[in-house]
Structures are given as structure tokens and as C-alpha cells.
Amino acid sequence: MSAERRPNVVMILTDDHASRTIGAYGSEINATPRIDEIGKAGWRFDHCMVGNALCSPSRASILTGTHSHVNGVTTLVTPIDASQPTFVSQLKAAGYRTAMIGKWHMGHGEGHDPQGFDYWDVLIGADGQGEYWNPLFLSAEGEHVVEGYATDVITDMALNWVDSLQGDDPWCVLIYHKAPHRPWQPKPEHAALYRNAIPLPDTFDDDYESRSSSVRRALMRVADSLNVDDLKQDVPEGLDYDAAARWKYQRLMEDYLACVHSVDENVGRVIDWLRARGDFDDTLLMYASDQGFFLGEHGWFDKRLMFEDSLRMPMLMSYPRKAPGGGVHEGLVMNVDFAQSILEAANVPSHPRMHGRSFWRDLTGEDPEPAAEGVYYRYWEHDDVFHHAPAHYGYRTDRYKLIYYYNDGLGIPGTGPFAYPPEWELYDLREDPEEVHNVAADPAYREVREMLEAAMWREQERLGDAPHPSQPLPRLLVQRDDLVQGAAGR
């Protein structure tokens, strides 16, 4: 293959895969040698952040390169307008063959099914989440069931599609898995792999002292919110509350890690297939999750909140022909950056509406754009019936994280009817990496908080996202406006 040929693109996206269960990120509880292989051949991103830690919104942001307020997918029940520009539609217009196989989960029906793909075949069972076994798919030809385990089936379908192509046009295939999403159903041959005790996270017994009432209301505790469908069996009799919580954690981890094991095997299948075709060096191969996931940190499971375990996505990427291997990207990047980065690597123009920043030249060293000073996050699905997580937005720099819980669903589908008083949280990630000390009211952090409030307001303005009416104009910006008006009057 010519070194000048545009890269093929393979994006493998999983659902709810926590970074700490990947070997490349230092896991001490499981091994993922095939996922790690992508990082060894390419780059590991240590600070890749999601803009809205929820399945549908994150997928929309990855595809469109825009934040939720622009692409319209704010909650799990706000379907995408699939006609909007995406990195895939840009690739297709530039001559790529394109396919989407697996978990779509952004709505179905006219205007919502995948567009801009030569081929698509997506999970539709279980309210769009898809089943682990014998999954139901929807393609342009209609519904059909495919026998087998979803992680294997999705891989089979993706590789078969590429193998069916004729000619030398470059291609892009999205391989989007359900795993390791709840309810964590592993293959039988993997079910016993992780039955040894898994150490509890240091913050498993977090009492939320100093934290806002907003996060205390969330129904995501391992001790209280895992159900029989999740656990697959009743809690043993005779366990007190704390012992039952620890038993539930072990059951969760046993199945979760077994699902990850199957993902790793299938990533290996893709790598081996690319190598056998002679395509590995000329393929931009990405592995990521649609967001992070709490696995007992702060006593929680699930995602949604702007704490690091939910906010930080694993992301590994290789393209050996163009980018050196074995690198670690330590700057702040986001899921909205994926679209522009893929397009730049493929020498295809991005769309003007896309947010974010291409990180492609960070990897090649060819005149990279200035690094992002901070990233903006907004979770819209306020007080939903199952999780009761609060609506909030925030701004994270390399050291600090400011969060404003505005606690209002704004009448958006999928949100609850009740509003609560707004609250602030602030974390110093250098001094408090586990985020157990909210210093928003600490006088020692007053200047830091004021600078972050102003930076977040300016970022909202840049992105075109309106602050909630309850959020006051930051004091530093009030002073700036007063100075500008005073200078104009002189």
C-alpha cells in the first residue's frame, strides 16, 4: 500500500468502560493486552474527557464534533437529527466507503436512523441498548436477529463488511459495542475469570462530607441501587448493610470484568485481521469508551456526574505510518475533538460548525494548535426517574475543577419535574485527586474560584451555550465590564 494513501479508519467504541480496568492505564485487577497493543503501536491519551457523560449524548458529540446544545442530543430520549454533518459524512463526501455496526442508541425512525453511511446495521433491542445474546438489529432492509454473543457478532459483521468491498477506496468502519454496559452478561467461558476478591476503591465508603446535597441525592450507590437483574442472584442471607454492599461490589466486578475480557479478545481480532490484510500501519485505529464509569468510587456505579471516574474516557489511537508509537498525550482533549482529529489525519476538511480542537498534529509534531486551557462539561438529564443525578455544568483545567449544579430539567424530555437550589463544588485535583474535599466555600480558594467562574462563562459564550438563569455573572467579568464602560465614558 502506498504511504501516501489516505488512512482507513476503524473506531472501536465501547460503553461505560472505566479506564482503571485497562492495562495501559495501570489496571491491577485485570489484563487487556490487545487493547493495550493499540497504545504501544500509537498513543495513550491520559486526559480525554467527555462533554456529557451519558451514552446517547456522548455518541452524538463523537459523531458530529459538537456539544449537546448544538447537536440536540441532550438526554437519552432526545433523538439525533441524523442529517446533520458528521465526520463520517465528511469522509463519505471525500470518497471514503463508510459503515456503522453496533450500538447507535440515538433514536430510530425517519430522520433518526443512521445517515451518511454506505452501510449500517445497528442494535435496537432493549430500548436501543441492545441485548448481549442473540441481538436484534435494524438495517436499511429492516429488522433481523443475529444469533450469538453481541461483542462477537458486531465484530464479525464489521469485518465482513470491509472484506466485501471492491476497489481501492479508503474506508471507515465504526464498531460500536454494547459491552460492558449494564446488565453485564459475560460469555459462559469467561464468567469465572474474576471470582477472586477485587480490592475496594479507597473512597468506597465515602460519606460525602463537604459535598453538595445535589450529589447526595443521586441514586447510584452500589449498596442501594444495584438490582437482582444486575446481580443475577439474591444477596446472601445474614449479611449486614456494609457486608451486603461489599458482596454486591464483588458481583458487579466479576461480571463487568468478564465482559471487558470479551471486548479485549475482539479488539485483538480486529488487530490481527488488519495485520493479515497488510492494513495495520495504514489504518487510523481508535479504541475509546463513550464515557468513564464509576466502579465503586465514592460508593457509586454508573456515570453522569463530573467526577473524574465518570468524566475521563479511555482513548488509545494508532496510525503507525504517520504517527510514532508508544506515546502518551497528557494534554486536555475531549470527545468533541475526535471528529476534527480524524478528518485532519485523513486530509479531509472539517465542518465549520464542529467544536473542539484537532489533536492530530500533537501526535505528529507538525505545528500543533495551542493546547486547550480547560474543558467544558454539561449534564442535562436532571433528576431522571432511575438515577436522580443533578443537572450541572463545569469547567476543568489541568489542576482545578469547578462545578455548578443548577438543578433544573428545563422541561427537556427525560428530565424530572422538580428543581432544587443551585450549588457549587470546587476540587483541587493536585491536592485532592480523589475529589473528597469540596473547597468551593474555602476562603483560600476564593481567587481560584473567581478565575474559574470567569473562564467557564467565557467558554460558554465561545461555544454558544447559555448559562442557567440562576448563575450570576462572575465578579471578574462584572469588573471588566465596569472598566470597559468607564473607559468608554472618559
Side-chain angles (χ1 to χ4, degrees):
M1 180 181 291
S2 169
E4 297 305 313
R5 181 177 175 178
R6 291 178 292 177
N8 302 312
V9 178
V10 178
M11 181 187 288
I12 303 173
L13 189 73
T14 48
D15 200 315
D16 295 348
H17 192 180
S19 298
R20 78 175 181 94
T21 62
I22 296 176
Y25 287 96
S27 175
E28 297 179 351
I29 59 176
N30 70 319
T32 55
R34 305 313 306 270
I35 295 172
D36 302 347
E37 195 172 327
I38 300 174
K40 291 176 183 176
W43 287 73
R44 184 188 77 215
F45 289 73
D46 278 0
H47 300 287
C48 181
M49 309 295 172
V50 65
N52 181 352
L54 200 58
C55 303
S56 305
S58 178
R59 289 160 189 274
S61 290
I62 290 170
L63 195 61
T64 67
T66 62
H67 283 272
S68 300
H69 66 279
V70 169
N71 62 53
V73 185
T74 52
T75 73
L76 294 178
V77 293
T78 50
I80 194 170
D81 173 0
S83 68
Q84 60 189 293
T86 68
F87 78 86
V88 175
S89 66
Q90 296 293 107
L91 290 174
K92 190 176 187 318
Y96 273 72
R97 304 292 301 276
T98 59
M100 159 81 214
I101 294 99
K103 184 171 179 178
W104 174 250
H105 199 214
M106 290 182 286
H108 292 291
E110 186 175 355
H112 308 311
D113 288 322
Q115 296 183 29
F117 297 91
D118 293 302
Y119 175 77
W120 55 272
D121 214 341
V122 297
L123 298 168
I124 60 170
D127 296 325
Q129 297 283 0
E131 299 96 347
Y132 272 100
W133 289 98
N134 304 327
L136 177 66
F137 282 84
L138 175 69
S139 70
E141 284 71 44
E143 298 182 7
H144 61 113
V145 172
V146 182
E147 299 291 322
Y149 188 66
T151 311
D152 298 333
V153 165
I154 290 166
T155 304
D156 291 341
M157 294 168 68
L159 304 190
N160 289 341
W161 175 78
V162 178
D163 284 338
S164 74
L165 298 178
Q166 303 294 318
D168 295 326
D169 292 334
W171 44 264
C172 168
V173 61
L174 309 186
I175 307 174
Y176 280 18
H177 292 295
K178 172 189 175 68
H181 192 279
R182 192 179 190 180
W184 313 296
Q185 296 175 359
K187 296 176 73 172
E189 57 265 39
H190 298 154
L193 290 175
Y194 297 97
R195 287 184 177 164
N196 292 332
I198 304 295
L200 292 169
D202 292 341
T203 59
F204 186 77
D205 294 316
D206 196 341
D207 62 5
Y208 311 121
E209 183 180 0
S210 86
R211 256 61 57 81
S212 65
S213 59
S214 300
V215 300
R216 293 169 186 255
R217 281 192 296 269
L219 298 183
M220 304 191 307
R221 286 187 64 82
V222 170
D224 303 317
S225 301
L226 288 172
N227 59 44
V228 174
D229 288 339
D230 300 321
L231 302 171
K232 289 83 172 181
Q233 61 190 91
D234 293 330
V235 178
E237 294 183 3
L239 298 182
D240 63 19
Y241 181 83
D242 289 339
R246 284 155 174 72
W247 180 89
K248 291 175 183 177
Y249 173 76
Q250 298 299 329
R251 282 293 302 124
L252 161 64
M253 296 302 292
E254 182 179 326
D255 285 350
Y256 181 93
L257 294 175
C259 289
V260 169
H261 187 89
S262 183
V263 168
D264 190 66
E265 286 188 343
N266 277 276
V267 170
R269 291 179 59 206
V270 174
I271 292 172
D272 293 343
W273 169 82
L274 285 170
R275 291 192 187 280
R277 288 171 57 94
D279 283 343
F280 184 80
D281 286 352
D282 294 279
T283 296
L284 192 159
L285 173 61
M286 298 177 67
Y287 179 87
S289 172
D290 54 2
Q291 63 256 323
F293 200 71
F294 294 110
L295 287 172
E297 294 87 2
H298 309 285
W300 291 321
F301 71 99
D302 209 77
K303 53 267 184 180
R304 301 166 190 271
L305 301 176
M306 200 187 166
F307 287 71
E308 287 294 285
D309 308 284
S310 167
L311 178 69
R312 190 163 71 107
M313 309 163 61
M315 211 279 272
L316 302 148
M317 186 174 80
S318 68
Y319 178 9
R321 185 74 67 191
K322 293 293 185 178
V328 177
H329 191 294
E330 296 182 345
L332 295 172
V333 302
M334 296 194 74
N335 60 343
V336 295
D337 298 340
F338 291 7
Q340 291 198 59
S341 303
I342 292 168
L343 291 171
E344 184 172 20
N347 197 26
V348 173
S350 63
H351 195 278
R353 82 198 286 261
M354 289 179 172
H355 294 139
R357 162 193 179 275
S358 171
F359 51 72
W360 173 244
R361 280 173 283 159
D362 297 349
L363 312 187
T364 64
E366 300 172 4
D367 191 25
E369 295 182 20
E373 295 181 359
V375 295
Y376 177 65
Y377 177 88
R378 184 165 186 173
Y379 175 79
W380 298 75
E381 195 173 272
H382 172 68
D383 205 36
D384 77 288
V385 65
F386 293 111
H387 304 89
H388 292 281
H392 58 288
Y393 46 69
Y395 188 73
R396 185 200 188 279
T397 67
D398 61 348
R399 177 170 178 177
Y400 298 106
K401 181 186 297 178
L402 181 71
I403 309 171
Y404 183 63
Y405 299 97
Y406 62 92
N407 280 313
D408 181 2
L410 302 171
I412 295 171
T415 64
F418 302 113
Y420 306 97
E423 298 178 283
W424 292 92
E425 290 183 342
L426 171 62
Y427 297 98
D428 184 336
L429 301 174
R430 183 184 302 169
E431 300 298 322
D432 176 29
E434 293 185 329
E435 299 172 290
V436 295
H437 302 295
N438 172 23
V439 295
D442 187 336
Y445 285 86
R446 178 182 173 183
E447 290 186 8
V448 169
R449 174 173 163 176
E450 289 183 344
M451 288 189 293
L452 291 170
E453 286 184 29
M456 182 171 70
W457 189 281
R458 288 193 295 266
E459 185 68 355
Q460 289 173 314
E461 184 176 45
R462 185 184 75 84
L463 295 172
D465 190 23
H468 189 266
S470 65
Q471 182 188 349
L473 180 67
R475 188 180 70 87
L476 294 183
L477 298 186
V478 172
Q479 290 180 332
R480 181 196 68 181
D481 290 346
D482 288 345
L483 289 172
V484 170
Q485 291 172 8
R490 287 199 292 269

